[in-house]
Amino acid sequence: MKLFGSNKGNDVKRFEEKRRLMGYETFLIGYIVLIILPCMILSSGKYAWMNITLAVILVALVLWAYFDKTFVTSTSWGMRAIYTSLQSERYYMNYQRTHFWRDVDVLLSYDIRDFLEDKIRELAVMGKLGSKMRILLLDPQSPYVEIVEKASNMKPGEYAYYVLQIQNFMLRVNQAATEDSIVDITIKYYDDLPLDNMFRAYDVMFAYDNKQCSEENFMSYSFDGNLNGYNFYRVFFEEKWNDESFCYSKEITGDMVPNYRVFADNDTISYRI
Amino acid sequence: MKKKLTKRIKALDIKTNYKKYITVLYVLLVMVPIMIGLSLSVGRTDDVVAKSIANILLLVLFVVFFIYDFRKKVAEDWGLVTMKVAERCYDEAVEDMKKAHSIKMVMSSDLAGMYKLIEETPCDSTCTYEVLMMNPYSEFAKFCKEDVALWAEKLETLAAHSSKNISIKHYSMPPVDNFILVDDNVVYIYPITQKLNDGRRMCKSFRGKKKGTKIYVDIFSRLWKNPIYGGRV
């Protein structure tokens, strides 16, 4: 038995944009061939116009739907929602789904504190029960940290502190894992221009735009599994994760965090494993 | 018992699959009984009327299942008309820019491409360009992979010598995603880092005075008024 979902064997090596109207088109052709045409051919008498009118309405609906750009955007891309706050994202995110946390990819740079505050409890529970988590973070010793801290309104050293907390989280989950569960949490770091945040929980993808100067400071798109949006960000993550010249493993220690004590004293994030 | 029931309801995942359940209920509770009723009334109902009723029922099913889609509603509410992954993604913007009266741009990456767009796109003589570019002397310019100073100079020269009405401001804050606002009505967004290894990148556009466009109009006006970063605006 497979422990982790295979995500329907999707090819994650290359991204190809697909039009996902096959179900729609098949239904339509079947409907016209099997229902509308026989009705029109066989109809006679004074009520025959009814079916002809219906056929015209249907064709108009089809053309309207087919050439409506938002239909392609939403259906082919599988865009489920756009959120402007973590609270609304949390409200719509379905934490109850049993397989939701089994296979998790996290790409985190901006707003690391808010992200942890919002999701660390669920990550802890699922990590302990058995979850494959891949976490890609900006190296806290990278010069690019300055950008992240400024954009996220953090103090110097604060980003490094929360990276250390993620590493500690991984160690704690590994220690607390039950005997029959497989805990597989891997953290990698990169030293480059900070990537926009991304979070995949099995078959749902959340892509975050860095909105440092908008009113809400937050904008995320969620995408349903195996459609263009999901596939794009999945391939994007895989490319980065598997590129050894881009990311690497590393151990973060307390002495890499300037002002560690100050941040530790003000840290309000708590979770139980 | 109550716990079991709650667990069962949660397992059904109604919040995600409500459309599926509505469709099943519609077929079972509306379509099937009416169809059975119609077939039992053979002889008493006109054949064409019966077929028309069946047709209407199927049409409703079609509308419920395919035309009404909550995802489409989200895209409509936000005015999100384009999502695409492309190497050349300025083509659509060019068409709108040709007819524009006001163009606002933020350029933080792909400076050559954005410069070319300003230089080569023909536009109305009354059209105004407002271009926000990273300050080449800011602490963040060193993180850009392109020569910000060089392109800032080129842009200044273009503004001075071109017949186009171009205003330039430089912002001093972490890089903001490239975007082009046309007449405060359409916005094309080109995220800096959402890029695949083969060079294709994610492009989005919002159209109409809806949520998406409003957010970018707001971002631009905040940056234009206060291009020096001083914490979150």
Side-chain angles (χ1 to χ4, degrees):
Chain A
M1 195 183 104
K2 274 189 179 177
L3 178 70
F4 304 119
S6 65
N7 280 6
K8 299 169 193 170
N10 225 28
D11 178 18
V12 288
K13 286 187 184 130
R14 176 156 172 86
F15 172 77
E16 291 298 341
E17 230 172 295
K18 289 173 191 160
R19 265 179 81 87
R20 191 231 178 197
L21 295 175
M22 282 312 289
Y24 171 84
E25 283 154 357
T26 312
F27 177 86
L28 198 69
I29 292 164
Y31 184 73
I32 291 171
V33 172
L34 300 173
I35 310 289
I36 296 287
L37 288 179
C39 281
M40 287 174 76
I41 292 164
L42 299 173
S43 290
S44 57
K46 59 180 178 177
Y47 295 112
W49 61 271
M50 284 179 74
N51 279 314
I52 295 166
T53 312
L54 281 172
V56 171
I57 292 170
L58 183 81
V59 170
L61 275 174
V62 168
L63 291 175
W64 173 70
Y66 204 79
F67 291 105
D68 184 0
K69 279 185 173 178
T70 54
F71 188 82
V72 179
T73 305
S74 51
T75 311
S76 296
W77 281 81
M79 197 194 68
R80 188 170 191 80
I82 304 174
Y83 311 103
T84 49
S85 71
L86 265 171
Q87 289 72 27
S88 60
E89 183 190 272
R90 165 164 276 276
Y91 178 76
Y92 287 105
M93 194 184 267
N94 197 338
Y95 288 94
Q96 271 82 38
R97 289 165 63 202
T98 48
H99 56 269
F100 193 64
W101 297 94
R102 281 187 188 168
D103 193 5
V104 174
D105 291 334
V106 182
L107 202 168
L108 201 53
S109 50
Y110 297 101
D111 296 316
I112 188 169
R113 178 186 48 208
D114 297 341
F115 183 91
L116 287 180
E117 212 161 26
D118 189 67
K119 296 183 176 64
I120 193 80
R121 286 168 207 87
E122 283 82 6
L123 285 170
V125 172
M126 292 318 295
K128 188 185 164 191
L129 291 176
S131 180
K132 185 180 179 182
M133 284 183 203
R134 298 186 295 179
I135 303 171
L136 184 58
L137 301 165
L138 177 67
D139 188 336
Q141 290 185 302
S142 159
Y144 293 98
V145 167
E146 195 184 330
I147 294 181
V148 170
E149 287 181 336
K150 197 89 176 175
S152 310
N153 215 14
M154 290 172 125
K155 295 183 180 77
E158 202 171 351
Y159 173 80
Y161 171 79
Y162 284 105
V163 168
L164 184 63
Q165 295 317 302
I166 294 178
Q167 188 185 266
N168 291 343
F169 160 80
M170 180 182 78
L171 298 173
R172 282 181 65 186
V173 170
N174 277 333
Q175 281 170 0
T178 51
E179 259 180 37
D180 53 347
S181 69
I182 298 172
V183 176
D184 182 4
I185 303 177
T186 321
I187 301 177
K188 281 189 182 180
Y189 302 91
Y190 67 93
D191 181 7
D192 205 338
L193 203 64
L195 302 173
D196 287 331
N197 292 356
M198 191 216 87
F199 170 60
R200 180 177 74 87
Y202 188 66
D203 59 353
V204 182
M205 181 69 75
F206 295 88
Y208 301 81
D209 274 2
N210 172 27
K211 287 281 154 289
Q212 53 185 309
C213 38
S214 68
E215 198 176 354
E216 288 92 357
N217 298 321
F218 183 92
M219 193 164 178
S220 80
Y221 299 79
S222 70
F223 297 97
D224 283 338
N226 296 312
L227 295 167
N228 286 339
Y230 176 92
N231 290 342
F232 171 79
Y233 288 103
R234 190 149 186 232
V235 169
F236 174 72
F237 185 87
E238 291 291 336
E239 281 185 355
K240 303 291 177 210
W241 185 262
N242 295 322
D243 184 353
E244 284 174 11
S245 63
F246 179 77
C247 60
Y248 44 86
S249 302
K250 182 177 181 173
E251 193 187 343
I252 308 298
T253 52
D255 58 334
M256 293 177 187
V257 183
N259 307 321
Y260 177 89
R261 206 59 261 160
V262 178
F263 300 124
D265 289 344
N266 294 314
D267 187 359
T268 52
I269 299 172
S270 64
Y271 59 95
R272 198 185 299 167
I273 296 180
Chain B
M1 181 68 186
K2 199 182 169 189
K3 260 189 181 176
K4 265 190 178 176
L5 193 70
T6 319
K7 210 177 167 186
R8 182 89 190 121
I9 290 170
K10 271 182 183 172
L12 286 173
D13 195 9
I14 291 173
K15 209 156 71 181
T16 315
N17 298 320
Y18 71 95
K19 206 168 112 179
K20 191 166 84 184
Y21 297 123
I22 288 174
T23 311
V24 171
L25 285 174
Y26 169 76
V27 171
L28 290 178
L29 301 178
V30 181
M31 275 185 76
V32 171
I34 292 180
M35 294 289 205
I36 291 170
L38 279 176
S39 59
L40 291 176
S41 63
V42 177
R44 278 174 286 164
T45 315
D46 190 308
D47 189 37
V48 177
V49 173
K51 278 177 191 157
S52 299
I53 292 171
N55 229 339
I56 291 166
L57 291 171
L58 280 167
L59 199 61
V60 172
L61 181 68
F62 170 78
V63 171
V64 168
F65 205 81
F66 290 100
I67 305 289
Y68 179 78
D69 189 297
F70 71 94
R71 288 179 293 211
K72 187 170 176 291
K73 178 94 175 58
V74 172
E76 276 174 357
D77 286 350
W78 281 81
L80 183 60
V81 287
T82 313
M83 279 191 115
K84 67 175 179 181
V85 175
E87 219 160 332
R88 281 184 53 80
C89 41
Y90 298 127
D91 301 353
E92 274 185 54
V94 168
E95 291 309 308
D96 277 313
M97 286 170 74
K98 281 179 189 168
K99 295 172 268 175
H101 297 291
S102 148
I103 296 167
K104 296 168 179 172
M105 299 171 101
V106 172
M107 20 191 315
S108 309
S109 68
D110 189 20
L111 301 175
M114 294 291 273
Y115 175 84
K116 206 173 153 199
L117 199 65
I118 302 171
E119 189 186 31
E120 292 180 2
T121 308
C123 68
D124 195 271
S125 58
T126 57
C127 178
T128 56
Y129 277 83
E130 289 177 329
V131 184
L132 261 168
M133 195 182 169
M134 179 171 277
N135 181 354
Y137 302 106
S138 80
E139 56 191 308
F140 303 104
K142 64 176 185 273
F143 297 116
C144 292
K145 287 176 178 162
E146 291 151 288
D147 189 344
V148 184
L150 173 78
W151 288 105
E153 200 185 315
K154 279 193 170 191
L155 194 63
E156 295 285 354
T157 313
L158 177 70
H161 296 100
S162 164
S163 58
K164 290 175 181 169
N165 186 4
I166 304 172
S167 316
I168 303 162
K169 276 193 183 182
H170 296 280
Y171 72 84
S172 303
M173 55 182 285
V176 178
D177 284 339
N178 284 4
F179 66 85
I180 303 168
L181 253 169
V182 181
D183 290 334
D184 285 353
N185 191 50
V186 190
V187 59
Y188 294 91
I189 306 135
Y190 310 104
I192 301 171
T193 59
Q194 295 176 14
K195 203 170 180 179
L196 298 173
N197 286 349
D198 61 11
R200 289 180 299 161
R201 63 173 165 168
M202 172 65 85
C203 317
K204 297 180 209 119
S205 77
F206 295 95
R207 192 171 282 272
K209 296 199 185 306
K210 299 193 173 174
K211 285 185 198 172
T213 315
K214 280 179 186 166
I215 284 181
Y216 284 90
V217 169
D218 179 53
I219 290 175
F220 190 89
S221 69
R222 279 163 189 261
L223 277 174
W224 191 258
K225 278 180 201 153
N226 180 21
I228 309 287
Y229 186 68
R232 281 195 160 159
V233 186

